[in-house]
Every structure is written in C-alpha cells, then in structure tokens.
Amino acid sequence: MVKILIAEDNAEIAMLEKDYLEISGFETEIVADGSKVVNMILEGGYDLLILDLMLPGCSGYDICREIRDQTEIPILMVTAKTQSIDKIRGLGLGADDYIAKPFDPAELVARVKSHLNRYHRLTNAYSRTAEESAIQIGNLKIMTRSWKVYRDGQEIKFPNREFELLKFLAMNPNIVFSKDQLFEKIWGHEYVGDSATVTVHINRIREKIEDDPSKPRMIETVWGAGYRINL
C-alpha cells in the first residue's frame, strides 16, 4: 500500500487530509513536529510527503531542502502563504507541487494521485532491464534509464521534474524550446501552474551542472525564445 506522511501541525487540517487520503486507499501518518520529518522520511519508507511550510521545530523550506538532497519522492507543499515568491521558493528547493489553504480535499487527493502515478511511471521505466543508455555533454553524464546524473564522475541528485527536464533538453540538443513548450512537455495538462515553473527548475538545474550558474554555458537562455542545451 502507498504510504504518505502528512507534516501538519493543525490537527483539524491534518485529520481532514488523513481521512480523504485513507478513503482513497492510501496509508497515512501524521507528524506535527518539523524536526522529526526528515528522519521519518528517510527511515519510514514513505512514497510521498505532504508538507506544511509553517511547522514548529523546523520550517518546511528547510525540510524540503534537506530531503531533496537524499530522496526523489514527490513533495506536495500545503500552506497558507499565497504570494508568488513563496511558491517559487518552494519549487526552487525541489517541491513538486504547491497548494494553498483553504483547499478542496478532493483536489488534494487528485494531485497526490497524479504525482504518485507520474513518479511510479518514471521509476518503473528507469528500472527496466533494457540496456542502459547515456548522454554525455561535456563533464556531464546522464543515464536515461537508471535516472542518474554524474558530473566529473560524482553523482548529483535530481528530483523527478528536474531530471525529466534535463533529460528532455539533452535528448534534443541545440534546439530552442519555449517555456510553454517545456511546461506542457514535462508537467502536462493536469498540472495546475504556469510556465514560470520552468524558469525555477532551469535555475535549480544550472546550480548543479554549471561551473558558474550566473553565466550558464550548458543550458543557454535564448532571449525572447526559450532555452536550449548546447553540445
């Protein structure tokens, strides 16, 4: 059974999320102390994290940053913060989605299912026994089936959206794609968001693969057109 951790200090909201998710067939556990979340995720075998940003003990931003360095499970942020900068910050730290309070519990369940389905499709595809293929771009090596990225021989952790975006650009080198094209290709029609999400993820990828992210050479911005990866 799919196991979900709900990190939420508002007992009423946490129980609402728990009830709707368990009715939909998910196993859930609630934690209200932010300082416990990271260890629970790394040791508890969870498939997805629903993360409130304003937790006692440790902020959701810090939790997201630490988790993303060690695992690729989907992270869905739930928060009362509604400003764009909060959303961008959360996505920039590796969150997969963002939903603002108050929210429709049915929408939360739908988003959870969407992210789990996508994550499982990706991990199943990359774990097949078919021959591994690699894309080499300078000092970067992208293993398309095992979902691994190496820079100068050292593995770099990539959450699923970042990996999909990097892989897509790498498989279509020297071609310019607009933000709208990349958003549709990687996030799809079911995602509630906009193409600004692409910029956040491009910047996060650059921080991992570029020698100088402020002057990117591998993933180039073509002003007024979009992005391309250079071979």
Side-chain angles (χ1 to χ4, degrees), residues 44-136:
Y46 296 97
D47 298 282
L48 182 142
L49 171 63
I50 296 177
L51 177 63
D52 181 35
L53 287 183
M54 307 299 289
L55 289 171
C58 188
S59 78
Y61 292 122
D62 291 334
I63 292 168
C64 186
R65 181 188 296 108
E66 189 168 351
I67 289 174
R68 260 301 163 254
D69 289 337
Q70 302 179 70
T71 181
E72 294 84 19
I73 67 165
I75 299 174
L76 174 57
M77 286 187 166
V78 180
T79 179
K81 290 177 172 287
T82 57
Q83 295 183 4
S84 295
I85 187 65
D86 297 309
K87 178 178 179 179
I88 291 171
R89 184 182 179 190
L91 293 173
L93 291 172
D96 294 278
D97 205 350
Y98 187 107
I99 187 168
K101 301 175 183 176
F103 56 86
D104 180 351
E107 180 185 354
L108 176 69
V109 172
R111 293 202 192 190
V112 165
K113 289 180 177 179
S114 174
H115 285 289
L116 285 170
N117 288 338
R118 191 178 189 90
Y119 180 66
H120 290 156
R121 286 199 305 270
L122 284 170
T123 52
N124 288 338
Y126 299 137
S127 63
R128 291 173 186 163
T129 57
E131 183 180 355
E132 178 73 275
S133 58
I135 302 173
Q136 189 79 41

Side-chain angles (χ1 to χ4, degrees), residues 66-216:
E66 189 168 351
I67 289 174
R68 260 301 163 254
D69 289 337
Q70 302 179 70
T71 181
E72 294 84 19
I73 67 165
I75 299 174
L76 174 57
M77 286 187 166
V78 180
T79 179
K81 290 177 172 287
T82 57
Q83 295 183 4
S84 295
I85 187 65
D86 297 309
K87 178 178 179 179
I88 291 171
R89 184 182 179 190
L91 293 173
L93 291 172
D96 294 278
D97 205 350
Y98 187 107
I99 187 168
K101 301 175 183 176
F103 56 86
D104 180 351
E107 180 185 354
L108 176 69
V109 172
R111 293 202 192 190
V112 165
K113 289 180 177 179
S114 174
H115 285 289
L116 285 170
N117 288 338
R118 191 178 189 90
Y119 180 66
H120 290 156
R121 286 199 305 270
L122 284 170
T123 52
N124 288 338
Y126 299 137
S127 63
R128 291 173 186 163
T129 57
E131 183 180 355
E132 178 73 275
S133 58
I135 302 173
Q136 189 79 41
I137 304 175
N139 63 348
L140 197 70
K141 188 175 185 180
I142 303 165
M143 312 302 291
T144 60
R145 290 192 179 276
S146 59
W147 205 8
K148 295 180 182 292
V149 180
Y150 297 90
R151 183 185 181 197
D152 294 324
Q154 298 293 317
E155 185 178 356
I156 310 169
K157 293 292 185 181
F158 276 81
N160 53 357
R161 301 286 189 181
E162 289 177 26
F163 181 83
E164 285 185 272
L165 182 54
L166 176 62
K167 177 188 171 185
F168 177 75
L169 290 170
M171 293 182 70
N172 298 276
N174 305 317
I175 299 175
V176 178
F177 293 95
S178 70
K179 288 191 293 184
D180 288 337
Q181 288 174 318
L182 291 172
F183 182 82
E184 182 176 345
K185 178 65 180 179
I186 305 304
W187 281 264
H189 297 292
E190 79 278 2
Y191 185 85
V192 179
D194 56 54
S195 60
T197 302
V198 174
T199 301
V200 175
H201 284 72
I202 288 288
N203 289 338
R204 187 167 170 83
I205 292 171
R206 282 172 169 165
E207 290 174 359
K208 297 177 180 180
I209 69 173
E210 299 280 0
D211 293 330
D212 183 356
S214 65
K215 299 177 181 178

Side-chain angles (χ1 to χ4, degrees), residues 6-56:
I6 300 170
E8 172 62 67
D9 64 327
N10 183 308
E12 184 177 348
I13 292 176
M15 288 306 301
L16 180 66
E17 294 172 349
K18 180 180 178 70
D19 289 344
Y20 270 79
L21 289 167
E22 291 190 345
I23 288 172
S24 299
F26 299 113
E27 178 183 351
T28 65
E29 187 171 354
I30 296 172
V31 57
D33 185 348
S35 64
K36 297 179 180 179
V37 176
V38 174
N39 286 338
M40 291 181 70
I41 285 293
L42 297 181
E43 299 173 2
Y46 296 97
D47 298 282
L48 182 142
L49 171 63
I50 296 177
L51 177 63
D52 181 35
L53 287 183
M54 307 299 289
L55 289 171

